[in-house]
Amino acid sequence: MSIISQNNQERKLSNAISSFFSTFHIGNLLRKCNAGKEKGVPVIDIFLYKLCNVFKKASMYMQMKTDSFHESFSKNTYYRFLNSIKTNWLRFTTLLSKAVADTVEPLTSAERVNAFIIDDSTFERTSGKHTELASKIFDHCSMKYKTGYRLMTLGWTDGNTFLPVNSTLLASSKKKNQYCKENTFDGRSIAARRRKLAQMKGTDAMLELLKTAKAAGHKADYVLFDSWFSTPAQILAIKALGYDSIAMIRKSPKIRYSFNGEKLNLNKIYGISKKRRGRSRYLLSVDVTIGDGDEAIPARIVCVRNNKKRKDWIAFISTNVNLEPEEIIRIYGKRWQI
């Protein structure tokens, strides 16, 4: 009886994924991203099998061990598909998320704000010193060095739904911190470009992910990110792409903003400005200028009480000076749960 129930569940899962493939034309998207075969088993069948295994938490290896693998393709065909250096998976996930976002967006209120969210996390490989581009990276959560990569992810949200747009694994940009070197490919190929992207600095890789999303037709009002990426140069670069930024900013003495005709750091601006009294949601809101000369843009800094640490405060910056301080806090806080 349990075997029959399990087969029914697998059939329902396969039907649901097949319906998703049909709705969003996954076969066409795979062809656009160079994931094709000249003959033999169609690529869509292999991809369907792979996706079903993700939801079943199964693997081809265990299925072969237990004699439950009954697909029409061989193990070599499966792994050649996964390891193909011609498939542009970065473009595939970007195009797929665009198709899903176009379906979701009309279902929500026109007053909602659409935004890109960028963040990175540690992708640890404890036994991965022989994995290509595996590196010694610093984990800011545990404050220790680990073996693996940084996983940078770009997502799209309307405040209720979150869709991953694209992502990239980042190795250390310093050769001395890389345990295993990359394989060599023609510099014009997709494989070479992905390896080049993996060895970029995080700030540069962030801009590449945004450019890929913009080229695919993704639309967003703001780009949200934390203080790790919120340097003036990065904010100016995002503005040049046509997006406004809302970000948490560092209290660094080296980062300065133009305020009342002077170049001051955040702590100086906070110290000389008058704070709001009482139980206001924010302590301070001031208009500043980022950059110099023709590249300078206006911005608004909002300082907020830090509920986790008494007598402490955190600061946010928005390149849309028409937003009220409460709106800046709402947009950033709802998506980052501050």
Side-chain angles (χ1 to χ4, degrees), residues 225-240:
F225 45 95
D226 59 18
S227 59
W228 189 253
F229 304 102
S230 60
T231 61
Q234 195 74 356
I235 294 173
L236 288 171
I238 292 173
K239 187 67 174 180

Side-chain angles (χ1 to χ4, degrees), residues 63-310:
Q63 288 174 354
M64 288 186 167
K65 281 286 187 180
T66 57
D67 292 328
S68 58
F69 180 78
H70 306 297
E71 303 300 325
S72 59
F73 49 84
S74 67
K75 178 182 71 173
N76 291 339
T77 302
Y78 175 73
Y79 284 114
R80 277 199 301 268
F81 168 72
L82 293 182
N83 296 328
S84 173
I85 62 174
K86 296 181 180 179
T87 306
N88 193 340
W89 292 113
L90 183 67
R91 186 172 184 231
F92 173 77
T93 57
T94 307
L95 292 175
L96 177 57
S97 63
K98 171 64 170 58
V100 177
D102 288 343
T103 304
V104 171
E105 191 173 9
L107 304 177
T108 60
S109 170
E111 297 178 357
R112 283 190 175 173
V113 174
N114 298 330
F116 287 133
I117 299 178
I118 295 180
D119 199 12
D120 65 340
S121 57
T122 302
F123 188 82
E124 188 177 3
R125 292 293 298 270
T126 53
S127 302
K129 288 190 176 181
H130 297 289
T131 306
E132 188 177 4
L133 286 177
S135 308
K136 182 172 71 173
I137 56 172
F138 186 73
D139 183 8
H140 291 272
C141 295
S142 62
M143 303 302 289
K144 296 179 180 178
Y145 280 96
K146 295 183 177 180
T147 300
Y149 310 89
R150 289 167 57 204
L151 175 61
M152 179 171 288
T153 304
L154 171 67
W156 176 92
T157 181
D158 61 359
N160 184 50
T161 303
F162 178 83
L163 297 174
V165 176
N166 52 39
S167 62
T168 182
L169 288 174
L170 296 179
S172 174
S173 57
K174 298 179 180 179
K175 297 291 184 181
K176 64 179 182 180
N177 289 336
Q178 295 177 6
Y179 294 112
C180 186
K181 304 303 180 183
E182 76 274 19
N183 296 326
T184 303
F185 296 95
D186 188 326
R188 298 166 295 179
S189 65
I190 293 172
R193 293 202 297 269
R194 287 305 299 270
R195 282 157 177 79
K196 182 180 179 181
L197 176 63
Q199 297 177 78
M200 286 183 178
K201 292 184 177 179
T203 51
D204 295 332
M206 169 184 175
L207 294 176
E208 289 298 319
L209 296 183
L210 280 172
K211 289 176 182 177
T212 303
K214 184 177 181 180
H218 262 289
K219 295 180 181 179
D221 302 301
Y222 301 99
V223 181
L224 312 181
F225 45 95
D226 59 18
S227 59
W228 189 253
F229 304 102
S230 60
T231 61
Q234 195 74 356
I235 294 173
L236 288 171
I238 292 173
K239 187 67 174 180
L241 290 176
Y243 299 112
D244 282 311
S245 302
I246 298 179
M248 188 184 292
I249 51 178
R250 309 178 197 175
K251 302 176 186 178
S252 171
K254 298 180 180 180
I255 300 177
R256 299 185 179 185
Y257 307 92
S258 296
F259 177 67
N260 291 339
E262 297 182 82
K263 283 281 191 180
L264 302 174
N265 61 48
L266 183 58
N267 286 317
K268 286 283 187 180
I269 294 174
Y270 182 83
I272 66 175
S273 300
K274 185 178 179 181
K275 285 68 165 181
R276 291 165 62 92
R277 293 179 176 271
R279 296 185 178 181
S280 171
R281 193 174 183 187
Y282 65 95
L283 293 168
L284 176 68
S285 175
V286 295
D287 290 335
V288 298
T289 303
I290 302 175
D292 299 309
D294 296 336
E295 295 182 351
I297 60 171
R300 175 166 291 173
I301 291 177
V302 178
C303 299
V304 182
R305 292 181 180 87
N306 188 350
N307 295 327
K308 296 180 180 179
K309 295 182 180 179
R310 195 175 180 183

